[in-house]
Amino acid sequence: MIDVKNLVKVFTAKKGVLGHDAIEAVSHMSFSIPGGGALSLIGESGSGKTTVGRILAGLEVPTSGDIWIQRVNVMTLPPAERRTFLRQVQLIQQDPYQALNPARTIEQSLEDPLKVIARERGKNGAWIQSRVHEVLLRVGMDPGSVLNKYPHMLSGGQRQRIVIARALTVEPKVLVADEAVSMIDVSLRLGVLKLLKDLRQEFGISLFFITHDVASARYVGEDGQLFVIYKGQVVESGPTDEIISQPHHPYTQALLSAVPVLKGLEDPGPDRFIPLRGNDQEQVPDTACIYEPRCPFAQAKCQKERPVLQGAGHAYACHFPVVRRVVATMK
Ligand SMILES: Nc1ncnc2c1ncn2[C@@H]1O[C@H](COP(=O)(O)OP(=O)(O)O)[C@@H](O)[C@H]1O
Ligand SMILES: [Mg+2]
């Protein structure tokens, strides 16, 4: 399981000779994912999703906040210990080709992490071989036909399965999947999503699923939580099915409205609207709602006071929350 409290990440970008410009990429984010549970993070590009994922995987250091994995506070561990400990968190990125060494066979790529573990546990080469076979079978690949192949000889979907197999070699407690199927052929996506979903249950893995696609968040984690983020801030969070059926925040409604309707098969939700105005580059003062410049329902108060995330279970940061039915339904 994983618990995150008040996570903040500020990047300072050099801005010519005038000094520094700070971007708060992640703003006071808190969540917990039980073993076997799922949390999906949705939001458009630049909203801070990858930054959260990289922090969880130990690739980025947060500006402040705490992270507990299996009830150990990662932030209090000395750096060397932290690295070993964070092996329990494995990151599956967008591009499986970049994640694999093109000059090494699939067998070699899978053996590398296992050699480290074998040394630590006093296991031999036969153990490594059997683990390689085990993880390949688990991700639905035939060891006999892929062990000697190189990454370029596989399809995108197969490559992502290999990346997942490699993550499984270290028996992770948390998988962070960052747009893990967006570069894979549409026809192969569902299989990889099903694999991620099944691994939750089978190994009690906590899945942190980053996406800009509501449908895949729903598929891998309908029984889990959904966090909608806009410019680093959580604007709505709660049980996935509840947020999809009863979205309260206009930004969540805009994201849900963007899902295309299957013509002839589905009816658009009655409240579907042209979602966004303005642009996301606009600077918003701390005293205004972060979403005010783009919100079609903004009122005077939204410019004067920033709403806080409120509500137990299902929470939203909006002064004027109204449920709108924007999701298409089957005819
Ligand atoms: N290493 C970095 N240095 C400076 N700014 C960064 C860095 N990484 C990300 N950012 C900024 O942080 C914000 C969030 O980025 P990111 O986490 O990649 O968003 P997403 O994954 O949702 O597209 C963006 O404004 C991005 O430009
Ligand atoms: Mg990203």
Side-chain angles (χ1 to χ4, degrees):
M1 67 176 298
I2 181 162
D3 288 291
V4 169
K5 288 255 148 49
N6 262 319
L7 195 66
V8 174
K9 178 67 185 184
V10 177
F11 287 113
T12 33
K14 281 209 174 75
K15 215 185 173 193
V17 287
L18 292 172
H20 289 84
D21 195 21
I23 304 166
E24 197 179 41
V26 180
S27 177
H28 300 279
M29 201 178 287
S30 300
F31 55 85
S32 48
I33 317 175
L39 188 151
S40 301
L41 196 59
I42 64 167
E44 60 202 328
S45 177
S47 54
K49 306 182 297 298
T50 292
T51 303
V52 182
R54 286 175 55 82
I55 291 172
L56 299 185
L59 298 174
E60 200 84 69
V61 180
T63 306
S64 60
D66 283 298
I67 301 167
W68 287 266
I69 290 160
Q70 307 296 96
R71 302 192 193 287
V72 174
N73 188 340
V74 178
M75 304 314 293
T76 60
L77 297 174
E81 225 173 293
R82 189 188 298 183
R83 261 195 305 279
T84 313
F85 188 79
L86 281 176
R87 274 209 314 238
Q88 297 183 89
V89 182
Q90 289 289 313
L91 179 62
I92 314 290
Q93 285 166 291
Q94 195 170 13
D95 184 356
Y97 197 66
Q98 226 170 42
L100 295 167
N101 185 334
R104 295 179 74 69
T105 64
I106 302 309
E107 182 171 30
Q108 290 168 330
S109 282
L110 293 176
E111 275 174 358
D112 291 343
L114 282 167
K115 281 181 185 159
V116 178
I117 298 174
R119 246 195 325 274
E120 287 168 2
R121 298 189 187 168
K123 303 283 188 186
N124 58 18
W127 178 82
I128 295 178
Q129 290 317 305
S130 83
R131 281 293 287 155
V132 165
H133 280 248
E134 213 175 313
V135 293
L136 278 174
L137 289 173
R138 185 57 203 84
V139 300
M141 303 282 285
D142 169 30
S145 58
V146 295
L147 280 175
N148 298 318
K149 292 207 165 124
Y150 289 89
H152 75 267
M153 300 160 89
L154 303 175
S155 73
Q158 290 173 323
R159 277 199 287 267
Q160 198 61 297
R161 285 174 191 271
I162 299 296
V163 172
I164 296 170
R166 193 182 52 181
L168 292 179
T169 59
V170 301
E171 298 160 24
K173 293 289 184 288
V174 180
L175 278 185
V176 175
D178 187 358
E179 309 273 5
V181 298
S182 60
M183 287 181 69
I184 296 175
D185 272 1
V186 175
S187 60
L188 302 173
R189 280 184 195 170
L190 194 62
V192 175
L193 292 175
K194 180 167 190 318
L195 174 60
L196 290 173
K197 184 177 171 171
D198 292 346
L199 293 175
R200 288 175 46 198
Q201 209 182 12
E202 192 172 331
F203 298 112
I205 288 173
S206 307
L207 178 65
F208 187 76
F209 185 78
I210 298 171
T211 184
H212 55 256
D213 169 38
V214 184
S216 56
R218 190 175 201 175
Y219 182 78
V220 299
E222 189 160 32
D223 56 336
Q225 309 162 69
L226 185 65
F227 273 53
V228 182
I229 62 167
Y230 182 74
K231 289 194 171 188
Q233 306 214 359
V234 178
V235 297
E236 184 156 10
S237 64
T240 301
D241 53 357
E242 195 179 315
I243 291 188
I244 291 174
S245 61
Q246 294 185 298
H248 281 62
H249 196 285
Y251 181 59
T252 311
Q253 293 160 1
L255 288 181
L256 293 172
S257 279
V259 178
V261 176
L262 289 174
K263 245 177 133 183
L265 290 177
E266 288 179 326
D267 283 321
D271 301 325
R272 238 169 137 90
F273 55 95
I274 306 294
L276 303 172
R277 64 184 175 95
N279 69 70
D280 66 349
Q281 299 306 317
E282 218 165 307
Q283 287 295 318
V284 182
D286 287 352
T287 48
C289 172
I290 188 107
Y291 190 56
E292 192 279 331
R294 297 181 78 189
C295 184
F297 310 108
Q299 302 185 34
K301 186 181 183 186
C302 307
Q303 283 187 1
K304 296 189 197 111
E305 197 182 310
R306 178 160 294 184
V308 292
L309 192 66
Q310 274 178 323
H314 183 174
Y316 27 87
C318 181
H319 290 311
F320 304 102
V322 173
V323 177
R324 294 185 184 86
R325 309 194 70 85
V326 293
V327 177
T329 47
M330 292 300 276
K331 274 189 174 167

